[in-house]
Amino acid sequence: MSFHRPTRRGFMQGGAAAFGAATLMNSTALASIDPNSFSNRTFHATHYGPFEAVVRDGRLIGINTMMELDARPTEMLTQGVLDRTYDRSRIDYPMVRKSYLENWQTGDTRPELRGEEPYVRVDWDTALDLTAKALLDTATNYGNEAIFSSSYGGWSHAGVMRPNVLQGRLLNLMGGCTNTQGDWSAGASQIALPRVIGDMEVYSPQSAWETIRDNTEVFLLVGCDPIKNNRVEFRVADHGMYAPWEMIRDAGVRFISINPQRTATDDYLNAEWMRIIPNTDVALFLAMAYHVLDQGLEDRAYMERYTVGADRWIAYVQGEGEDATPKTPEWAAAITGIDADEIRALAELLATSTTSIAGAWSLQRAQHGEMTHWAIVNFSALTGQIGRPGSGVGFSWHYGNGGMPQSGQATPTGLSQGRNFVRGTCPAGRITDMLENPGMEFTYNGNPGVYPEVHMIFNAGNNFMSHQQDTNRLIRALETVDTIVSVDVWWTAATRWADIVLPASSSLERDDITSGGTYSNDRVYAMKKVIDPVGESRSDYEIFEGLADKLGLWAQFTDGEEYMTHIRAAYERSSAADEIPFEEFWEKGYARMEVPDEARAWVRHSAFIDDPEGNPLHTTSGRIEMYCEDIAAMEIDDCPGMPMWMEKHEYLGNAEPGQLHVVSPHPWFRLHSQMDQSESLRDLYKVQGREPVRINRQDAEERGIADGDLVELYNDRGTVIAGAVLSDEIMPGVMSIYEGCWPQLDSQGRCNSGLANFLTSTQRASGLSQANTANTVLASLRRCEDPEGPNMAYEKPDIVEMDEVAFAAPDYDDLGLDRLYDLTDALYADMEPAERLFYERCTVCHGPREPHHFTQLQWRGITPSMFPRAGLDDEEAAMVTDYLMRHASDAPN
C-alpha cells in the first residue's frame, strides 16, 4: 500500500508512553460508606450497577454497593459478578478445535464435529495467525461478503470498548464483512413504527414519570414487566424508576395487566390481571376499537387533525369491504379467551379515562409482530390519547429505566468502526436461513437483498448460539461454514461450536468508561481495572490490536495512540468534561450531569399535538398513519397496510390435542445468557440444575407432573429438559420458560439444560422486518423419566494437550499476509467530515450501523434522540443529517 505500516512493537520501542497510565490505571476510589473499612477498593460499573470492588492479595473478594448511585442493587451485582469472575467456565487460554488445528493446511477440518470433539490449548501467536489466515483466505477466495459478523447487540459489557465495535473497526479496515440488520429485541417494530408514528418508539424515551403520577388514571400493561426487566441495563443499571413506580402506584393510578401470566410488576403495582391467549393481542384491540365506535366514544376531531387512514382501518374493524367480519367483542372472545363483557368493560374504561398504555417488546417477537404495537397505537389514536399528559402509548417502559427525565447531555463515545465496504446484510433473526440458502433473495424494510455465501463467522462478545431460533437447525447449518472464530470470556454456546476461541478478559480486568441511564444520560462512570487478567486472557482491545498487528493494520486500528488516550478522549466527548477534569473524574470514579427542570414535565409526542404543522411526525404524511400507504404499496402478503388480525402458523387456536403455548420472557437473575454460569444465582432458582418452567397446576396434574419434577418440553424441532414450577398465576394452556440459558446436549439430542430455542422456529415475523418469532411456539409436555446425569453446561469442554496433536505451526509464507494490500489498496479514501462524525459519534443501542440500512424518514425519526447522546452541536447535526439523507436506502442515485 501507499502508506507506512508501523507495528505495535516498533511504536513501543520508540518510547511512547500512555497518558498518565501508571497513575490513572492504578487509582482507587474511597470507600463509599465506611471510612474505617478495608481501603483497597476500586470503582467499577457493569450492566448490573456501579460498585467498589474489594481486592485482597490481587484477588477480588467482595462487592461494595454504593447507595448514593444505586439504592436497590440486585443479586446479579452482589453475588453474580464475584461468582462468575473465577468460575470454572472461564476460558483461560487460546484454544483451537482439534481437527481444525491438525488440518488447517488441507482444509479437511471436519466442521460436523463442532460441539463434540476436544479443544487444544495453543499460544496467542498460533491463534492469531490462524485467525488472520482464515480472514484473508475467505476475503481473497470468496470476497469480504463471505465473512459474516454474528456480533450484533453489543451487550457483552457496559463499556465503550465493546468487542463488536472493535471487531467492526478491524474488519472494516480490511474491507468489511456481512453484518446483521435490525436486532433481536425489537426487530419487527423498529421497522414498522417509524412508518406509522415517525419513530422507532421501542428505543425512545418515555414521558417523564411525574406526568404519569399527576395525570394518569389507568395504566395498561400489555405484556410489560418493568420491575423485572429494569434490573439490568444496556450500560449501567441504577434502578432509578423503582421508587417512581411506587409513587405512581401510591398516587392512585389503576394498573391493569394483560398477560398470559401474572408478573413481578403486577404484584409490585397491585395490577388487576386479565389473562389472554398468547399472540392474540391484536384481536383484543380490534374488538375494543369496535366497541368504542359502537358506543360513540371515539375522538373524531383528534383523528381528523392528527392521523391519516382512520377511515380505512375503521371500515375493517366494522366488517366493511373485503373482510366482512365485524371485529366484535364476541368475535375476539373466541380468539383471545377473554369474555366479551370484559372486553367491552375494558374498552369503555380505557376510552373514558386518561389512559397510558405500555406495550412490551415481547408482543412483537411473534408472527405478524408488526401488527401488535400498531394496533395499540391505532386504539390510542382512536380515543384521542397520544401526546397528552398522562396518556398515550409507550413501548420502552420496561427498558433503560423508561420514564426517568432526560438530561439531554452527551455521553462518552468510543472508537469509530469506520466504513463497511460490504453492502450486503442479513436480518438479525435470519442467520440460519442465510446459511442454508446462499444466493436467495429476500426483502427487508422494503429493500431487496440477497443472502451471501458465508465461509467464515466471526463472533465477538455475543452468544448467538443461545439467541437464534431452532438451535438444532442452526447447528446443522453451521456445517456449511469453513471457519468460526469466537471471542469470549466464558465457555458459552457460541464458543463451544467455534473452531478458534480467543479468551477475553472480563471488564474487571481492563480499564474502560461508560455512562448511566439509557434515557436519562445523567452519569458517566469509570470502569477501572480491578484485578489482573485471569489465565492468559486479554482485553478485547488487545485481542483486536494483536490481530491488527498481524495484518499490518496496527497504526490504523490504534490511530498510533495508547489505550488510555482513547479512554480520555471518550470522556472528553461527554458533557461531564465541561465541568470536571478527567483526572478528577477518574479518581472519584463517576461524574453526574444535570437534568434540567423542564425535563420532568416532558410528554412524549406533545410537541406534535401542540403544533402538528410546525412539528410533524417523521412519517410520509407527517401524521399518525392508522393506515400506511407506504407499507400497503409493498404488497407484502404477511404485512398489510394496517393492523389486522391474522392467524398464526402455530398458537392455541390451531394446536393439536395436548400441545401448550410456550412463552420465553427475559430472566429474573440473568441478562439473557449472562450470569447463567453463576452457581450462587443458579441455587436461587434452578430446579434440579435445569431452567425452571412455569406450568399451570391443572396442566401439570393432567400429565402426572409434580412441583420440582424434571419435565420434557418437545416438538418436531427439539426437546428440552426443565424443572417444573407449578402455579395458578399462569393460564391453562401456556408454559413460561426463561430465554437464554446455556445449552448442553445429552446422548439423545435433548437439551439437558433447558434452552427454549431448541423449541422455537425460524418463522419470520413478516417480509417487512424479517424479525424473529420466538413467542410463536407450541410444544407438548411430559414428565422426564430418564435424565442423563447432571446439567454439564457450565463445565469446560474436553481439552487435550498440544503433544497429543499432529500440528505444523504456520510460518509467514503460509499466512500470505501480503494479500491484504491487494484487498485494501482500492478502498482507502478520505471520509468527508460528516461521514466521519457519523461513524465516530452516532452509535446508538440497537441502531442501524450503515446509512443505507434506513430510509430518509426513518433516519429523521431517530436522529432527535441520537444526536444529543452523540454530543453534536447544531452545525454538526446538520452535516450528519445531510450525509444520511444522501446515503439513505431511498436516497436518489
Side-chain angles (χ1 to χ4, degrees):
M1 298 191 68
S2 58
F3 51 80
H4 178 56
R5 293 173 178 265
T7 64
R8 172 171 171 77
R9 177 177 296 177
F11 181 75
M12 296 304 291
Q13 288 176 339
F19 157 76
T23 301
L24 295 175
M25 296 175 70
N26 294 323
S27 62
T28 59
L30 297 176
S32 64
I33 302 297
D34 180 8
N36 295 324
S37 63
F38 184 62
S39 62
N40 192 11
R41 300 169 184 245
T42 304
F43 188 91
H44 198 78
T46 69
H47 292 310
Y48 318 101
F51 64 95
E52 288 174 328
V54 182
V55 178
R56 180 173 286 129
D57 298 327
R59 187 175 177 87
L60 177 67
I61 62 168
I63 301 294
N64 184 66
T65 60
M66 305 184 71
M67 293 180 63
E68 66 270 40
L69 299 176
D70 178 7
R72 305 194 185 189
T74 73
E75 302 88 345
M76 286 178 281
L77 178 65
T78 58
Q79 298 181 44
V81 168
L82 178 60
D83 228 20
R84 70 178 187 168
T85 298
Y86 300 110
D87 188 72
R88 58 186 179 275
S89 63
R90 282 294 298 260
I91 306 169
D92 300 308
Y93 311 101
M95 298 283 179
V96 180
R97 186 172 58 83
K98 183 173 181 290
S99 291
Y100 192 95
L101 187 65
E102 290 178 327
N103 301 305
W104 66 268
Q105 291 169 301
T106 66
D108 183 22
T109 57
R110 306 289 304 279
E112 72 276 7
L113 295 180
R114 292 189 186 116
E116 298 178 10
E117 74 170 336
Y119 285 88
V120 183
R121 175 183 172 180
V122 299
D123 57 46
W124 270 105
D125 268 345
T126 299
L128 293 178
D129 283 345
L130 293 176
T131 301
K133 182 180 187 301
L135 285 168
L136 291 172
D137 284 349
T138 306
T140 302
N141 297 331
Y142 307 106
N144 282 66
E145 64 273 13
I147 304 169
F148 174 67
S149 167
S150 59
S151 309
Y152 55 85
W155 280 88
S156 60
H157 61 76
V160 300
M161 294 296 185
R162 302 190 189 212
N164 61 312
V165 174
L166 299 171
Q167 175 199 315
R169 180 176 176 86
L170 175 64
L171 295 186
N172 289 346
L173 285 171
M174 59 174 289
C177 65
T178 297
N179 268 325
T180 54
Q181 271 187 306
D183 65 25
W184 196 256
S185 299
S189 284
Q190 68 181 241
I191 298 303
L193 288 181
R195 300 177 186 274
V196 172
I197 197 169
D199 195 307
M200 286 175 122
E201 295 295 325
V202 288
Y203 303 128
S204 302
Q206 306 300 281
S207 295
W209 68 267
E210 291 174 65
T211 69
I212 301 297
R213 180 198 61 191
D214 297 342
N215 298 284
T216 301
E217 295 173 316
V218 177
F219 198 106
L220 185 67
L221 299 156
V222 189
C224 190
D225 193 0
I227 298 304
K228 170 170 64 67
N229 289 348
N230 276 316
R231 284 163 59 87
V232 297
E233 268 239 33
F234 183 70
R235 286 177 289 180
V236 179
D238 61 19
H239 309 103
M241 266 299 291
Y242 283 68
W245 279 121
E246 294 168 357
M247 286 186 268
I248 293 169
R249 176 199 65 201
D250 295 345
V253 174
R254 180 180 178 182
F255 286 90
I256 300 173
S257 174
I258 299 173
N259 203 309
Q261 61 182 323
R262 187 164 177 82
T263 68
T265 298
D266 298 344
D267 289 338
Y268 200 82
L269 301 178
N270 299 327
E272 303 161 42
W273 177 35
M274 181 176 288
R275 306 188 306 187
I276 188 171
I277 290 173
N279 289 190
T280 66
D281 304 87
V282 172
L284 171 63
F285 279 90
L286 291 174
M288 289 198 296
Y290 180 93
H291 186 67
V292 165
L293 291 162
D294 188 56
Q295 298 298 303
L297 298 174
E298 74 276 15
D299 191 331
R300 294 278 178 176
Y302 182 99
M303 288 187 284
E304 178 66 26
R305 187 170 191 202
Y306 299 115
T307 77
V308 296
D311 55 339
R312 298 282 296 271
W313 186 66
I314 288 172
Y316 165 73
V317 169
Q318 294 181 325
E320 301 170 6
E322 293 182 13
D323 185 339
T325 304
K327 308 307 180 291
T328 65
E330 284 74 18
W331 167 84
I335 297 171
T336 64
I338 302 174
D339 183 79
D341 286 339
E342 290 187 53
I343 294 175
R344 279 187 277 268
L346 181 62
E348 291 182 24
L349 175 67
L350 301 183
T352 59
S353 305
T354 303
T355 300
S356 184
I357 305 178
W361 297 347
S362 59
L363 302 175
Q364 51 86 69
R365 287 197 290 272
Q367 190 177 11
H368 316 123
E370 297 85 353
M371 299 291 103
T372 311
H373 286 171
W374 195 352
I376 293 171
V377 168
N378 277 18
F379 180 82
S380 191
L382 178 75
T383 55
Q385 304 264 9
I386 295 174
R388 291 175 171 164
S391 66
V393 297
F395 302 114
S396 201
W397 284 102
H398 62 284
Y399 169 73
N401 280 306
M404 291 297 288
Q406 305 163 67
S407 74
Q409 307 286 355
T411 57
T413 55
L415 294 170
S416 166
Q417 293 191 50
R419 183 194 303 161
N420 184 357
F421 293 88
V422 174
R423 290 183 64 85
T425 60
C426 173
R430 309 300 291 161
I431 293 176
T432 301
D433 205 42
M434 172 192 68
L435 296 176
E436 292 177 337
N437 301 286
M440 188 177 84
E441 296 179 354
F442 66 92
T443 58
Y444 175 83
N445 195 18
N447 301 310
V450 177
Y451 287 138
E453 183 176 322
V454 173
H455 287 265
M456 180 179 183
I457 294 176
F458 206 129
N459 184 74
N462 181 42
N463 195 1
F464 78 103
M465 291 294 294
S466 284
H467 294 173
Q468 293 291 311
Q469 294 168 231
D470 197 346
T471 309
N472 278 320
R473 188 174 160 193
L474 173 60
I475 291 170
R476 293 190 296 270
L478 290 175
E479 294 180 15
T480 66
V481 179
D482 299 333
T483 303
I484 302 175
V485 177
S486 194
V487 179
D488 212 322
V489 185
W490 296 276
W491 283 105
T492 66
T495 61
R496 292 173 189 265
W497 273 272
D499 302 306
I500 302 170
V501 179
L502 305 178
S505 57
S506 74
S507 70
L508 280 72
E509 297 150 38
R510 88 288 284 269
D511 292 294
D512 208 334
I513 189 171
T514 186
S515 53
T518 295
Y519 298 131
S520 58
N521 291 320
D522 57 353
R523 297 170 190 173
V524 178
Y525 292 116
M527 295 173 61
K528 298 185 189 180
K529 180 179 178 180
V530 173
I531 55 174
D532 288 333
V534 171
E536 292 182 5
S537 63
R538 296 180 178 180
S539 72
D540 298 301
Y541 185 89
E542 290 171 321
I543 290 171
F544 288 103
E545 180 188 26
L547 193 51
D549 203 25
K550 290 283 184 185
L551 293 167
L553 295 170
W554 179 83
Q556 293 90 329
F557 181 82
T558 64
D559 288 336
E561 300 285 359
E562 275 294 317
Y563 180 76
M564 282 303 293
T565 305
H566 295 305
I567 298 299
R568 176 172 185 145
Y571 177 77
E572 298 293 348
R573 288 189 285 268
S574 76
S575 299
D578 296 339
E579 305 293 333
I580 302 171
F582 178 72
E583 293 82 358
E584 180 181 336
F585 153 73
W586 193 263
E587 177 65 28
K588 185 175 184 180
Y590 63 92
R592 298 181 186 270
M593 295 186 290
E594 184 178 355
V595 176
D597 289 340
E598 56 267 26
R600 304 183 186 281
W602 185 78
V603 174
R604 182 150 195 80
H605 302 300
S606 61
F608 166 65
I609 296 302
D610 292 343
D611 184 3
E613 290 75 32
N615 300 298
L617 298 176
H618 296 295
T619 59
T620 298
S621 65
R623 294 190 278 178
I624 300 167
E625 304 213 352
M626 298 175 73
Y627 179 93
C628 179
E629 294 282 0
D630 288 350
I631 293 177
M634 297 178 193
E635 298 183 340
I636 301 171
D637 291 343
D638 50 2
C639 190
M642 59 183 171
M644 302 172 66
W645 164 251
M646 290 178 284
E647 192 170 30
K648 315 309 169 191
H649 77 286
E650 56 181 90
Y651 79 121
L652 289 180
N654 54 27
E656 298 290 334
Q659 286 187 315
L660 306 174
H661 197 112
V662 181
V663 294
S664 49
H666 189 278
W668 180 264
F669 288 108
R670 295 196 303 265
L671 196 172
H672 300 309
S673 66
Q674 294 184 45
M675 291 292 175
D676 199 31
Q677 74 275 55
S678 168
E679 189 170 359
S680 296
L681 294 181
R682 292 202 305 272
D683 287 344
L684 297 176
Y685 69 101
K686 297 279 187 173
V687 178
Q688 295 192 47
R690 275 78 170 187
E691 197 68 14
V693 56
R694 196 182 200 188
I695 308 167
N696 176 268
R697 195 174 304 277
Q698 175 184 330
D699 289 334
E701 290 174 353
E702 289 174 356
R703 293 162 175 79
I705 295 169
D707 193 72
D709 281 350
L710 290 183
V711 297
E712 293 182 16
L713 288 67
Y714 63 97
N715 56 26
D716 59 359
R717 293 179 289 269
T719 300
V720 305
I721 300 174
V725 177
L726 275 54
S727 175
D728 295 320
E729 296 193 334
I730 186 167
M731 65 184 292
V734 180
M735 298 183 286
S736 177
I737 183 168
Y738 291 139
E739 52 88 10
C741 78
W742 293 15
Q744 182 246 321
L745 296 179
D746 68 13
S747 67
Q748 300 178 54
R750 302 174 299 184
C751 180
N752 194 34
S753 190
L755 177 61
N757 274 328
F758 280 95
L759 303 171
T760 57
S761 80
T762 55
Q763 169 68 43
R764 69 185 187 182
S766 82
L768 177 67
S769 68
Q770 301 287 347
N772 77 82
T773 59
N775 285 316
T776 302
V777 185
L778 292 175
S780 298
L781 174 69
R782 64 192 172 211
R783 191 172 185 275
C784 181
E785 304 292 350
D786 59 343
E788 296 183 3
N791 177 13
M792 303 295 288
Y794 317 105
E795 303 296 330
K796 294 182 189 295
D798 290 338
I799 297 170
V800 300
E801 297 300 321
M802 180 68 84
D803 58 14
E804 300 178 43
V805 178
F807 167 65
D811 59 26
Y812 184 85
D813 291 336
D814 291 323
L815 301 179
L817 298 180
D818 290 340
R819 291 176 292 173
L820 182 70
Y821 303 161
D822 297 328
L823 286 171
T824 57
D825 261 336
L827 298 180
Y828 289 100
D830 291 335
M831 289 184 182
E832 61 177 280
E835 182 179 8
R836 186 173 295 278
L837 277 171
F838 171 74
Y839 285 114
E840 289 183 351
R841 307 269 289 281
C842 299
T843 54
V844 296
C845 169
H846 303 293
R849 288 173 287 197
E850 299 293 334
H852 65 274
H853 286 184
F854 258 22
T855 65
Q856 292 177 332
L857 278 172
Q858 286 172 319
W859 276 119
R860 289 192 184 279
I862 68 169
T863 49
S865 59
M866 175 193 295
F867 287 164
R869 295 182 202 173
L872 301 187
D873 60 30
D874 291 344
E875 181 180 356
E876 291 171 328
M879 288 170 55
V880 174
T881 298
D882 176 70
Y883 169 73
L884 293 172
M885 294 305 101
R886 287 186 283 112
H887 294 86
S889 62
D890 59 347
N893 292 329

